[in-house]
Amino acid sequence: MTALLEAPAAPPERVRSTRSWAAALGLLPFLGYMLVFLGGPLFFVISGAFSDPDGRPTAANVLASITEPQYRAAFLSSLVLSAVTAVIGAVFGTFLAQAVLIGRPDSPLRRIVATASGVLAYFGGVPLAFAFIAALGQTGLATVFLRGIGIDLYAGGFRIDSLTGLGLTYVYFQVPLMVILITPALEGLLPQWREAAENLGASAWTYWRHVAFPVLAPALGGATLVLFGNAFAAYATALALTSGSIPLLPTAIASALSGNVLANQQNVGLALGFDMVVVIAVVMVGYLFLQRRAARWSSR
Amino acid sequence: MTDVITAPQATERGTAVEFRALRRTYGSAHALDGLDLALKPGELLALLGPSGCGKTTALRLLAGFDTPTSGQVLIGGKDVTGIPASKRDTGMVFQAYSLFPTMTAAENVAFGLRMRRVGAAERARRAAELLEVVGLGDRGGSYPHEMSGGQQQRVALARALAVSPSVLLLDEPLSALDARVRVQLRDEIRRVQLAEGITTLFVTHDQAEALAVADRVAVLNKGRLEQVDTPQEVYTRPATEFVAEFVGVTNHVPVEDGRIRPGADTRQVRPEGLTVGDPDGLSGTVLTSTFLGAVTRLVVTTEVGELIVDVTSRPDLPAAGEPTTVTLAP
Amino acid sequence: MRRRRWRVVVLTIAAIYFLVPLLSAAEFSLRVPGGGYGLGNYLAIAHDDVLLTSLLTSLQIAVLTAVVVLVLVVPTAVWVRLRFPSVAGLLESATILPIVVPPVVMAAGIAFVQANLGGPVFRTLFASSTTALTPFYVVLALPFAYRAVDNGLAAIPLRTLVEAARNLGAGLPSALVRVVLPAIRTAVLGAAFLTLALVLGEIVIARILLYTDTFPIAVVEVGRSAAGVSVALSLASLLFTWVLLLAVSFAGGGRTRSRRTSA
C-alpha cells in the first residue's frame, strides 16, 4: 500500500538530474549522423580551402576566390538571383498558401497543392530546365501562343537562358518550398484574432497590417532566408538551362573541381565552396536572430 | 406554458438591441428559427441554452460575423443587418486566446482606438484607465503569454470597452477558466458592466452563471426562445418543461394540499424545496449522499421515483443505504 | 460574404505558371518522329537495359535512404516531443541546414575524401553508387522528412498514447513501433515518398562523384540522343511520386474523417 502511494512521488528528483543527460543521449544518433555526413564534407571543404595542393596551409585560394573578376561576377549574379527569387517566391508562395487555406481543410485543392508542393520543391535540374525551354524557349509552346496573340517575347529581348529566364525557372521550385514552410504558420493564425480586430473596427487590410503580419513576421523572414539558401545552392538547373553561360558560384565550383583548367584550381574550387558556406552561415545567423526576436512575445 | 414575456414591454421604453424574426439556416439545419428578442438600454441579458441551441449564432449575427437567412438586427433602433462587423460599434469578448500575441496588454486595449485614429497620448491614457477598471493597472506592459487565463480575459474585457461600444458582447468568456477564477471574474464583469452602464449580451451554457449576473435571462432551445424573464422568475416559474429541466435540477413530485401524495398531479419541485427526516413524510431509502459544502445532496428512492433533495449539511443526516422520509420543505 | 477575388487571381496565376511548363514538356514528349503524337517515348524504357538497370539502382538507393531517414527521424522527433521540447527550435534549425548547404559544396567535400583518403572504411563506402550516395541522400532528405513526421506527431495525442502503452507493459521501443508508428503512418509514408522524389531527381552529387549509373543521370544521358525519351521519363517519375503522395493524403484524410464521426 505504501509502496503504491510512494511510487509516483519518489523518483522525480533523481529523474530530473539524469533527465537532461538521458534526453541528450536520445538526440545523439540524429545529431551524430548530421555531424559525420554533413559536417564531414564541410570540414574537408574548409580545410581544403585553406591548403595548397601539397596540403600546406595558405589563404591564397580564398583570396583568389573573392578577388578574381570571374569569381566576383559569379558571386554577384548568384546573390542577385537568390535574393530576387527568394523574395518573389516568398511573396507569391504566401499568397498561394493562404488562398489554399481559405478552403475547407479536407478539400481536394488543399491536398493537391500540399502534395504537389512536396514533389515540385525537389523538381529541378535538367527536367525543369527542359520544361521551361519547351514552354518559353524560342519555339516553346507558350512563346508561340503569345506570339499568336501579338506578344513577341523574344522581340522584347527575353531569352530563357538569361538571368531573367533563370530567375523565372527558379521561382518554380521556390514557390512550392515557401508553401511547405509557411503553411503551418498561416494555420497558426487564430480566427478569433481576425474577428476581434474586425470587431474593434479594423478592415481586412488593417488586420493584416497590424495583427497577422507581426505574428507571421519571424516565420516569413525565416522562410525567405531558407529560400535564399535554396536558390544559392541550386546548381543543376542553372547548368542545364544556360550551359554555364551565366557565371554562378555553384557552376564555378563544379568547373574548378573537374580540374580541367589547372591543377591547383581544385583548392580554389573548395575556397569558393567555403565562401558559399560563409554566406549560408550569415543567413542562418539571421534566421536564428529572427527566431530570437519572436521569443519576446511568443510563449515558446 | 406559453405564457412567455417577450419584447413588447421593452419596446415602450426604447430598446438598445433588437432581433426581429431572425432566422439562420445552414443547409437544412435551423441554427435560429425566428428569434424575437429585445435588450433594454443598460441591462445585462444572459442568452442561455445547451450547446447547439443557436445562442452563439445570435451573438455572431449581432456582431456581424455572420449574415442572417432572414430577419433583422437592430442596434439603437437602426437596422444594421447589412453593415460589416468593423462598422457596428459592438465590443466583443471571446471565449479565449483572442488577445493579439504581438501586442502588450496596453496595446491590445488601445487597438480599437488606433483603428479610430485616436491620438497616441489619448490612447495610452484610455488604455491605462481601462486596465485600472479591470484591476490590471500594473500589467499594461505584459504580453498575453505572460498572463494567466483570467488576466487575459480581463484585458479582453478592457479592450472591448475601450471604444465605448453601444453593446458589449460576451461569448462564453468564462468557459476556459477554472472554477474559482470563473466566479471571481463573473462578479467582476457584472461590477464593471453596472459601473459603465453598458447594454450587454452574455452568452453562456452555464445556468448558474446566467442566474448570478443577469438582469434578465433568455433561454434558447433548438433555435427558439423558450422564456425571457428575471433570473428569479425563470428559476421559480419556468415557462416550459425544457426551461425547468435546463435551469437547475427539478423533481417531478405528486402534490396535493401541500403534501406529497402518490397518484396526485405532479408539480416541479427544486431540490431545496424538499427535505428529509419528518416522520409524517413519504418513506424511502437514501441511494447516494453527496457533500457539497454548505448543503448535502441526497438521492432518495421512493414509491414515486428517485427524488433529489438538498438539505443543509449537518452530522445527523442519513447515510447511503439508510431509510428516511421526504416531505416538502416548510 | 467576403469578396475573395484575389484568391481566384492567385490560384489562376499559380495554375498557369505551374501547368504550362509541365504541359509543354508533356506535349514535347508525346511527339513522334515524322509528325503526330504517340506514347513511343514512354515505352522506350522497356527495351533500354541501361535505363532499366539504373531505375533499379535508384529504387534500391531510395528504399535504403527512406529506411535510414525514418530510423533517424521518427525516434528523434518522438524523443524531442516527449522528453526534450526545449531543443525543438534547435533541431528545426539543424534540419534547415541541408536545404541551404549547397549540394555542390557537399559534393566537393566528399570528392576530396574520395580522392585523397584511403583505408577499408572509405573503400567500402565508395565501392558502389548505392553505398556512396545513400548516406548523403539521407542528409538531403532529412529536412522535409523531419517536418512531415513532426507534423504527424503534432496531430496525435503522443504523450497519452505512449504512457498508455507503457502502462500496459510495453517498453519504449515497442510502444514506438506498435502504437506511435501506426498512428502516424500517413506522415511516415509521406516522408518516404518525398525521399523517393529526391532520389529520382538528384544528379549533382552523383555526377561530381562520378556515379553515373543512377536513374536521373541515365535520363539526362539518354536526353543527349533522344530528348523526347528523357523528358517522358522525367515527367513519368514526377507524376508517379505525386500520385503516390496524393493517394497517401486521401487515405489519411479518409481515416481522420471516419474517426471524427465515430467519436
Side-chain angles (χ1 to χ4, degrees):
Chain A
M1 202 56 187
T2 45
L4 259 181
L5 284 175
E6 272 171 17
E13 279 311 304
R14 287 181 55 118
V15 165
R16 185 154 303 168
S17 59
T18 54
R19 183 186 285 159
S20 52
W21 271 100
L25 277 178
L27 299 179
L28 213 59
F30 187 88
L31 294 179
Y33 193 94
M34 293 273 279
L35 192 69
V36 171
F37 290 102
L38 184 62
L42 284 182
F43 169 77
F44 288 110
V45 166
I46 295 167
S47 72
F50 288 97
S51 312
D52 66 14
D54 302 320
R56 281 185 298 269
T58 171
N61 306 312
V62 176
L63 279 178
S65 75
I66 52 177
T67 49
E68 283 183 29
Q70 85 256 32
Y71 296 139
R72 292 179 67 148
F75 229 110
L76 190 68
S77 44
S78 261
L79 284 177
V80 169
L81 182 65
S82 308
V84 171
T85 62
V87 170
I88 294 174
V91 171
F92 191 73
T94 306
F95 273 100
L96 179 58
Q98 178 63 18
V100 173
L101 280 181
I102 290 175
R104 285 178 299 114
D106 52 356
S107 71
L109 175 72
R110 204 147 152 183
R111 292 177 193 287
I112 287 170
V113 172
T115 52
S117 299
V119 180
L120 291 180
Y122 277 127
F123 189 48
V126 179
L128 176 61
F130 197 90
F132 268 83
I133 293 170
L136 288 165
Q138 292 262 16
T139 58
L141 278 189
T143 311
V144 171
F145 172 79
L146 287 174
R147 199 175 290 144
I149 59 170
I151 304 170
D152 194 336
L153 289 177
Y154 280 75
F158 176 82
R159 287 177 58 87
I160 192 68
D161 57 354
S162 65
L163 205 55
T164 315
L166 198 54
L168 197 64
T169 313
Y170 272 32
V171 170
Y172 203 83
F173 54 75
Q174 296 280 58
V175 170
L177 181 57
M178 188 66 185
V179 171
I180 293 174
L181 293 176
I182 205 68
T183 296
L186 288 172
E187 282 172 334
L189 292 175
L190 299 181
Q192 58 264 43
W193 291 340
R194 175 189 274 276
E195 290 180 349
E198 263 181 59
N199 179 253
L200 294 164
S203 64
W205 161 247
T206 42
Y207 158 73
W208 280 100
R209 160 93 181 67
H210 292 289
V211 180
F213 184 75
V215 172
L216 288 177
L220 282 174
T224 309
L225 290 177
V226 172
L227 257 57
F228 174 86
N230 187 43
F232 199 63
Y235 156 67
T237 310
L239 190 69
L241 199 64
T242 68
S243 339
S245 68
I246 292 184
L248 291 172
L249 268 189
T251 45
I253 293 175
S255 65
L257 280 182
S258 57
N260 47 16
V261 197
L262 283 169
N264 73 336
Q265 284 298 91
Q266 284 236 329
N267 290 85
V268 176
L270 293 173
L272 285 167
F274 169 75
D275 297 344
M276 289 188 80
V277 171
V278 169
V279 172
I280 293 306
V282 170
V283 167
M284 287 301 289
V285 169
Y287 178 75
L288 291 175
F289 176 74
L290 279 169
Q291 300 273 334
R292 184 68 53 85
R293 257 187 70 92
R296 199 160 50 98
W297 52 263
S298 92
S299 45
R300 219 192 321 155
Chain B
M1 281 289 196
T2 49
D3 178 25
V4 172
I5 303 158
T6 46
Q9 146 209 31
T11 333
E12 291 160 13
R13 284 195 275 149
T15 61
V17 171
E18 195 176 347
F19 298 107
R20 278 193 193 152
L22 203 59
R23 192 180 295 273
R24 179 68 172 103
T25 54
Y26 299 100
S28 58
H30 294 270
L32 270 186
D33 198 5
L35 174 69
D36 284 294
L37 181 65
L39 274 73
K40 296 173 231 168
E43 83 168 332
L44 192 160
L45 185 127
L47 200 50
L48 174 67
S51 64
C53 71
K55 58 189 191 299
T56 298
T57 305
L59 182 102
R60 294 176 61 82
L61 287 170
L62 176 52
F65 297 137
D66 198 357
T67 328
T69 310
S70 66
Q72 286 174 303
V73 179
L74 287 83
I75 298 179
K78 213 177 87 203
D79 185 354
V80 296
T81 315
I83 293 178
S86 56
K87 303 262 187 320
R88 285 211 184 178
D89 193 28
T90 64
M92 180 147 165
V93 178
F94 296 77
Q95 271 189 29
Y97 310 116
S98 72
L99 294 184
F100 307 132
T102 56
M103 300 180 198
T104 61
E107 286 166 353
N108 264 286
V109 175
F111 184 84
L113 300 169
R114 196 158 147 207
M115 293 299 104
R116 285 162 177 73
R117 303 187 186 288
V118 174
E122 170 62 13
R123 288 204 308 255
R125 195 194 57 74
R126 178 87 173 128
E129 177 188 311
L130 275 154
L131 283 172
E132 202 65 55
V133 167
V134 297
L136 289 174
D138 54 339
R139 296 304 301 272
S142 305
Y143 285 95
H145 78 95
E146 298 167 331
M147 290 187 272
S148 69
Q151 290 174 328
Q152 291 187 25
Q153 288 303 75
R154 283 163 196 263
V155 176
L157 178 64
R159 180 176 71 177
L161 291 171
V163 294
S164 311
S166 44
V167 204
L168 180 63
L169 308 177
L170 307 171
D171 183 12
E172 309 223 12
L174 308 173
S175 61
L177 305 175
D178 59 51
R180 209 169 49 85
V181 181
R182 192 159 28 190
V183 171
Q184 246 174 35
L185 188 56
R186 181 189 79 190
D187 298 343
E188 183 86 4
I189 287 176
R190 178 58 161 165
R191 182 182 63 73
V192 172
Q193 186 264 336
L194 287 174
E196 303 274 318
I198 186 168
T199 313
T200 302
L201 185 65
F202 188 134
V203 162
T204 179
H205 65 268
D206 182 336
Q207 44 100 11
E209 210 166 275
L211 298 179
V213 297
D215 292 308
R216 288 193 301 154
V217 176
V219 185
L220 207 57
N221 181 35
K222 293 181 181 154
R224 289 175 166 279
L225 210 50
E226 298 270 335
Q227 185 175 11
V228 190
D229 216 321
T230 61
Q232 291 78 6
E233 284 293 309
V234 169
Y235 188 75
T236 54
R237 251 170 276 179
T240 68
E241 192 78 7
F242 174 83
V243 175
E245 292 293 332
F246 190 76
V247 182
V249 179
T250 308
N251 294 299
H252 296 268
V253 188
V255 176
E256 203 175 271
D257 302 334
R259 300 171 63 87
I260 303 177
R261 186 154 303 158
D265 289 343
T266 58
R267 268 186 50 192
Q268 293 159 349
V269 183
R270 299 289 183 197
E272 63 273 24
L274 297 173
T275 189
V276 292
D278 185 328
D280 291 344
L282 182 71
S283 58
T285 312
V286 176
L287 190 65
T288 63
S289 165
T290 315
F291 177 66
L292 299 171
V295 293
T296 296
R297 171 162 293 181
L298 304 170
V299 179
V300 185
T301 21
T302 67
E303 61 174 298
V304 301
E306 281 175 15
L307 298 176
I308 301 168
V309 185
D310 283 357
V311 287
T312 311
S313 297
R314 54 179 199 268
D316 61 332
L317 286 174
E322 292 179 4
T324 187
T325 55
V326 181
T327 48
L328 293 176
Chain C
M1 278 288 109
R2 282 203 188 92
R3 285 178 304 138
R4 280 177 177 153
R5 226 174 307 157
W6 70 268
R7 183 178 183 233
V8 179
V9 172
V10 166
L11 291 176
T12 309
I13 293 175
I16 293 172
Y17 178 72
F18 284 100
L19 287 180
V20 164
L22 287 182
L23 293 178
S24 304
E27 191 266 351
F28 180 84
S29 72
L30 288 170
R31 288 184 200 165
V32 287
Y37 292 107
L39 287 171
N41 287 328
Y42 286 85
L43 303 173
I45 188 173
H47 26 258
D48 188 325
D49 286 340
V50 176
L51 280 174
L52 271 181
T53 324
S54 69
L55 182 59
L56 288 178
T57 308
S58 278
L59 287 179
Q60 191 186 348
I61 296 177
V63 170
L64 276 174
T65 306
V67 169
V68 178
V69 163
L70 292 174
V71 166
L72 279 177
V73 160
V74 175
T76 308
V78 170
W79 191 257
V80 167
R81 280 190 171 267
L82 280 184
R83 295 286 166 83
F84 219 174
S86 52
V87 297
L90 173 83
L91 223 69
E92 209 183 296
S93 310
T95 57
I96 290 291
L97 278 174
I99 304 184
V100 292
V101 168
V104 70
V105 171
M106 249 178 96
I110 307 164
F112 183 87
V113 177
Q114 191 184 27
N116 298 318
L117 298 183
V121 176
F122 291 114
R123 257 200 308 269
T124 326
L125 181 66
F126 292 114
S128 75
S129 52
T130 308
T131 53
L133 295 176
T134 303
F136 301 103
Y137 286 1
V138 168
V139 173
L140 295 185
L142 281 180
F144 296 110
Y146 191 91
R147 247 159 238 274
V149 169
D150 198 50
N151 286 345
L153 289 175
I156 62 166
L158 178 66
R159 185 171 293 278
T160 317
L161 284 183
V162 171
E163 279 169 4
R166 302 198 67 177
N167 180 252
L168 295 169
L172 192 57
S174 78
L176 211 67
V177 172
R178 297 201 181 173
V179 179
V180 175
L181 213 52
I184 57 164
R185 61 175 186 272
T186 50
V188 165
L189 276 178
F193 291 145
L194 281 176
T195 306
L196 180 67
L198 167 91
V199 174
L200 290 183
E202 207 290 326
I203 61 168
V204 177
I205 294 180
R207 175 176 281 166
I208 288 182
L209 297 186
L210 304 174
Y211 294 106
T212 52
D213 59 340
T214 66
F215 184 65
I217 299 253
V219 165
V220 171
E221 289 304 318
V222 144
R224 293 185 197 282
S225 54
V229 175
S230 173
V231 175
L233 291 176
S234 306
L235 283 177
S237 68
L238 190 75
L239 201 65
F240 175 66
T241 37
W242 180 61
V243 167
L244 281 180
L245 279 171
L246 202 60
V248 168
S249 163
F250 274 105
R255 196 162 52 93
T256 16
R257 251 201 311 279
S258 64
R259 190 166 52 198
R260 209 172 296 142
T261 46
S262 71

